[in-house]
Structures are given as C-alpha cells and as structure tokens.
Amino acid sequence: MRDGRHDELDKGGWRARLTAARTALPVATRVAEARALAEAVGALDLPATVCCYVPFGTEPGSIAWLDVARQAGARVLLPVIPPEPGALDWAEYTGPQTLSPGRLRGVLEPAGPRLGPGAVREAGLVLIPALAVDRAGVRLGRGAGYYDRSLGHAAADATLVAVVRDDEFVERLPAEPHDVRMTAVLTPGRGFVPLTGR
C-alpha cells in the first residue's frame, strides 16, 4: 500500500488487505497513533457538538479523544447500533464509566438516553471510522452500511472526517453512487487534512 494505488482491487480486496495490515501492527505503534490522534483532536477548533465513536479492535484511536473533546467544551455524541439494519442511533458520552457493551462484540456504546438518528444533524464535526479514504473523499468502511445510511441525516455544512492511519490515506478507492464523500481526513502523522469532499 505504499504508493496508495491498487486500481485492480475491488472493495473486498481492499478490505482484506487493509485488515491484514492493521492486524500486523505492533501494539506500541497503535498506542503511539492513538496518542497522536487524541492530540490532533485537541488541536481542532471544535464546534458545540461533535459526533465521534469508540474505536474497537484494530481501529486507530482510543477513548482518550472523547475526553479531549469534552474537556474542550464540546458535547460528544456516540453511535448506538440499531437492532435492525438502518441509520445509527446516538447518545451523549459523559465519561468512560457510562460506556457499556453494545450489540456487536467488542463495541462500546453510551448507556444514556437514545437521541434518534437525526441527532447527528446537531454536529458540526463528525469523526467517522474507516479502513481507508482517498483524496476525493471516498471512504471505505467495513461494509455494514451504517454510516452510509446515517450521514444523510448530517447537516449540509458538517465536516465529515474519516479517521485512518497514514498509510490508509490513499490515491483512489472504488466508489459507488450511494457513498457519502468525506470532507476531511484525520491521521496520526498528518493530523487534519481537508479534502475536495462532497
């Protein structure tokens, strides 16, 4: 993935390659990247409400960035996976002690009141998990479609930020008409990078 180009790969091929690369990362690298991402969030001029997520498995980031955003004065909303496929629900994050296991194994969710799929509209900044993102804002997720169905509820002027490792910010990914384009990317080494986006 060094050149960021694998034009012959479809989405399944990209997912397999990226997942294997993440699994091979040393723990020390993951910890350093998570620290860098928390610092990058702290350096942003945050809006009143931020939608974020709790990284799980090999996703870059950590719970620390949630607390950084709260300490900066932002209201932090986290996704709640619905019982049936559809748009994500949201609930406010008020501290690590309020997180509990969600529907999917390994995923932590806030235990507070559910605010509905439309709550994402309140956010000026939405941090979004991704396996990769390209320079045109095409995001590659895990394939469940939760965010594609959810981001249609976001405000038209919200900044949609894919969070990836530096090597996962690539030249071009396969795109489909329903894909919601990102307007920025956040990586451990580059920090916040605006994209051509929507």
Side-chain angles (χ1 to χ4, degrees):
M1 289 190 316
R2 288 181 184 163
D3 62 1
R5 296 181 66 92
H6 292 284
D7 294 342
E8 75 283 2
L9 294 178
D10 62 8
K11 286 188 174 184
W14 271 104
R15 288 188 181 105
R17 185 183 295 258
L18 292 160
T19 300
R22 283 186 174 184
T23 301
L25 274 180
V27 172
T29 300
R30 294 180 193 171
V31 170
E33 289 180 342
R35 186 180 306 114
L37 286 168
E39 290 171 1
V41 169
L44 295 175
D45 184 13
L46 297 176
T49 300
V50 173
C51 283
C52 198
Y53 63 96
V54 180
F56 80 101
T58 58
E59 289 179 341
S62 68
I63 290 174
W65 64 13
L66 308 179
D67 294 317
V68 166
R70 285 184 71 229
Q71 289 162 9
R75 178 182 184 226
V76 177
L77 303 183
L78 297 179
V80 177
I81 297 170
E84 300 294 333
L88 294 164
D89 202 343
W90 299 89
E92 186 171 355
Y93 171 75
T94 56
Q97 72 282 358
T98 65
L99 295 175
S100 58
R103 293 184 180 282
L104 296 183
R105 195 172 91 182
V107 176
L108 294 177
E109 297 177 345
R114 302 314 189 228
L115 304 174
V120 68
R121 194 173 298 112
E122 301 171 26
L125 177 73
V126 184
L127 296 180
I128 303 159
L131 287 170
V133 67
D134 72 15
R135 297 185 182 281
V138 175
R139 169 188 166 268
L140 180 70
R142 294 179 178 269
Y146 287 113
Y147 277 92
D148 285 324
R149 290 187 289 265
S150 300
L151 293 176
H153 294 280
D157 61 349
T159 302
L160 306 180
V161 185
V163 181
V164 295
R165 299 181 57 251
D166 292 277
D167 288 349
E168 297 163 352
F169 182 24
V170 301
E171 196 65 36
R172 186 167 62 228
L173 289 166
E176 297 178 33
H178 67 266
D179 292 337
V180 177
R181 299 291 176 109
M182 302 293 99
T183 55
V185 61
L186 188 71
T187 81
R190 300 182 193 190
F192 181 86
V193 181
L195 301 173
T196 55
R198 296 174 283 180

